[in-house]
Amino acid sequence: MKIPFSLTVNGKPVSTEIEPRALLVEFLRGPLQLTGTHVGCDTAQCGACTVLVDGKPMKSCNMLAIQAQGANVTTIEGLAQGDALHPMQAAFRKHHGLQCGFCTPGMVLSAVGLAGQVKQPSEAQIREALDGNFCRCTGYHNIVKAVQEGLADMTA
Amino acid sequence: MQPFAYSEPTTLAKATGAAAANADSRYLAGGQSLIAAMKLGLSAPAELVDLARLPELRGIKVEGNGAALTVGAMTPHAEVAASMEVGARIAALAALAGGIGDRQVRNRGTLGGSLANDDPAADYPAAVLGLAATVNTNKRQIAADDFFKGLFETALAPGELIMSVTFPVPKKAAYRKFRNPASRFALVGVFVAQTAQGPRVAVTGAGSRGVFRVKSMEQALARDWSAKALESILVPASELQSDLHASAEYRAHLVGVLAQRAVAEA
Ligand SMILES: Cc1cc2nc3c(=O)[nH]c(=O)nc-3n(C[C@H](O)[C@H](O)[C@H](O)COP(=O)(O)OP(=O)(O)OC[C@H]3O[C@@H](n4cnc5c(N)ncnc54)[C@H](O)[C@@H]3O)c2cc1C
Ligand code: FES
Ligand code: FES
């Protein structure tokens, strides 16, 4: 049986009805057509489906949509302002922090969620913080550089 | 996933009432273990009772002039890891919480969910047993020594709700975990504590019946709190798990090494 469901996605209020068993990622990619959120493993391992829920990175394949009732959800589509990339996206582009791009939406949101948590995190702290995001292409080196600069630019 | 009914009660009485009314219901905390199990068809409850709207289940309180900390069942791992109260009084507990899974998991997963689930490789059971904590439910207080009953088994009765856990502040404590690099769970984890009642050593990830205490190590530490005191003590491999990640003999070796490192660090 469907139940009423309201939340804010990328700054816009959404009010609808959903099946309790719908995963958050299914709701985002299906009815909302926000297909930038990727499904890699579908078993809470890879982090490709990471979105921000009330500013905190979470794996949208491992939570029910209804668990985001009333929350503020940010997906990759919510970062850029028109044609202007978000500082974290711009840093990923500048530092070649992506190759195939499959992991990138989750990686970028996980990184954005770090802002304000630690001042100027070290390389080791960034690697540790991105523990839940797998990339099969880049070897992480450029991702870490991008995150360092992206975080600095976000607070600049 | 099988269809199920869903409720998000706003009072404790409604939550426990909903669980009592349907034997096929389950509480939903962070969902980090339960949703994964439901997706795989390993669990198919008819009803989920979401605990998210019960603020009384969340938060960290300092008790009795700092003699103990009470952590609400719905407190996420990330909150325990970042808590100044926990860091100042039981740094080993904050560090343990900060080493569970990854950041995304720590933002959702909760203390109560981890304990009710009682995964044999989970981290929190080692702290609860190692610190002689008390699990407070809607019905009673359960001592750590009576709470864990085996693999994914606890003393909780059907519908019994974990409200919080009270951790006595130890004189010193440390947790050392050898992480399974794929799952992030403990291949072996050892929690040591010097408590008011003497030393305690609790091991997770290794036991064939779940988390357990190593009394021989506790006795040695009571005589001499040093890593050296543990050097000659072996945990019998016959009581440990063997799986594709590690043999029982390797786990036995790790218990010794990690216990010594934890004592040195505490
Ligand atoms: C990728 C990944 C890595 C992980 N790594 C680790 C790790 O390294 N170490 C580790 O310890 N854990 C790890 N976990 C598990 C994680 O800590 C879970 O959050 C935890 O085991 C369950 O907590 P939850 O709040 O998500 O509970 P849920 O999944 O919501 O619930 C789990 C069970 O507990 C019951 N329950 C929940 N709350 C209560 C309550 N208050 N009273 C009674 N019953 C209740 C539920 O009905 C259910 O049966 C990992 C999980 C994932 C997905
Ligand atoms: S798709 Fe969600 S963690 Fe991999
Ligand atoms: S860029 Fe291909 S998986 Fe990360």
Side-chain angles (χ1 to χ4, degrees):
Chain A
M1 201 184 66
K2 289 198 173 188
I3 48 179
F5 179 47
S6 304
L7 74 172
T8 305
V9 180
N10 297 332
K12 294 191 196 81
V14 178
S15 252
T16 179
E17 291 198 322
I18 51 159
E19 286 284 345
R21 64 175 158 162
L23 298 171
L24 180 58
V25 71
E26 292 170 340
F27 175 71
L28 294 171
R29 290 181 55 88
L32 296 194
Q33 299 269 295
L34 295 170
T35 52
T37 302
H38 290 165
V39 179
C41 63
D42 203 16
T43 55
Q45 302 296 321
C46 75
C49 65
T50 300
V51 298
L52 299 180
V53 180
D54 291 330
K56 295 186 182 125
M58 296 182 183
K59 293 171 183 167
S60 62
C61 78
N62 202 35
M63 63 184 282
L64 301 174
I66 201 76
Q67 288 181 290
Q69 179 83 274
N72 222 316
V73 172
T74 306
T75 70
I76 193 72
E77 289 89 347
L79 291 184
Q81 307 267 338
D83 284 342
L85 291 181
H86 181 279
M88 191 61 73
Q89 291 173 306
F92 267 70
R93 183 165 78 172
K94 177 173 161 198
H95 289 282
H96 301 281
L98 63 151
Q99 289 183 21
C100 79
F102 194 86
C103 70
T104 313
M107 203 62 91
V108 167
L109 286 162
S110 189
V112 169
L114 265 182
Q117 297 246 313
V118 198
K119 278 226 162 75
Q120 294 182 328
S122 65
E123 181 191 328
Q125 282 173 315
I126 290 175
R127 286 184 185 271
E128 156 109 46
L130 296 180
D131 210 12
N133 294 85
F134 297 174
C135 177
R136 304 305 297 271
C137 302
T138 67
Y140 300 100
H141 223 72
N142 291 347
I143 292 178
V144 174
K145 276 195 232 161
V147 172
Q148 234 153 3
E149 185 166 317
L151 287 174
D153 291 350
M154 278 175 74
T155 47
Chain B
M1 220 188 292
Q2 297 281 326
F4 52 83
Y6 171 90
S7 63
E8 42 181 348
T10 49
T11 68
L12 272 179
K14 281 189 193 150
T16 53
N22 185 351
D24 220 3
S25 66
R26 298 286 284 277
Y27 293 120
L28 175 64
Q32 294 305 284
S33 296
L34 184 55
I35 301 298
M38 288 170 66
K39 282 171 71 178
L40 291 169
L42 297 173
S43 178
E47 179 176 350
L48 288 187
V49 180
D50 195 340
L51 303 176
R53 313 280 156 201
L54 299 167
E56 58 269 57
L57 294 185
R58 196 157 167 166
I60 296 161
K61 273 203 306 270
V62 181
E63 313 263 13
N65 296 325
L69 291 174
T70 295
V71 181
M74 284 295 285
T75 312
H77 309 329
E79 213 168 299
V80 174
S83 157
M84 307 276 254
E85 277 86 10
V86 181
R89 291 177 177 82
I90 320 181
L93 182 63
L96 175 146
I100 295 175
D102 52 49
R103 246 165 90 236
Q104 290 94 319
V105 169
R106 293 194 291 275
N107 280 334
R108 290 209 63 76
T110 67
L111 171 61
S114 176
L115 295 180
N117 196 48
D118 195 17
D119 188 302
D123 295 295
Y124 266 133
V128 169
L129 192 60
L131 290 167
T134 302
V135 180
N136 308 306
T137 77
N138 61 323
K139 297 202 172 117
R140 57 195 167 136
Q141 299 185 316
I142 310 174
D145 285 311
D146 303 324
F147 183 80
F148 303 102
K149 295 289 185 196
L151 309 180
F152 299 100
E153 266 185 59
T154 68
L156 292 174
E160 190 168 2
L161 177 73
I162 302 179
M163 310 266 297
S164 64
V165 178
T166 302
F167 296 93
V169 173
K171 292 187 192 115
K172 44 189 171 183
Y175 178 63
R176 277 300 182 108
K177 169 184 186 179
F178 191 98
R179 235 176 168 211
N180 177 328
S183 78
R184 304 167 179 96
F185 277 87
L187 194 67
V188 174
V190 182
F191 198 101
V192 301
Q194 179 65 276
T195 73
Q197 288 79 41
R200 288 174 72 103
V201 178
V203 176
T204 189
S208 42
R209 303 199 53 247
V211 66
F212 67 99
R213 281 170 66 191
V214 188
K215 301 265 166 83
S216 54
M217 288 186 175
E218 294 177 357
Q219 283 154 11
L221 290 171
R223 288 189 294 272
D224 170 17
W225 178 275
S226 74
K228 205 162 171 30
L230 301 180
E231 264 174 11
S232 57
I233 300 177
L234 281 176
V235 175
S238 57
E239 286 163 29
L240 304 187
Q241 288 194 66
S242 209
D243 56 26
L244 81 161
H245 306 295
S247 66
E249 289 72 22
Y250 181 57
R251 283 192 163 92
H253 174 72
L254 280 182
V255 172
V257 171
L258 296 173
Q260 289 175 46
R261 287 185 187 166
V263 168
E265 182 194 317

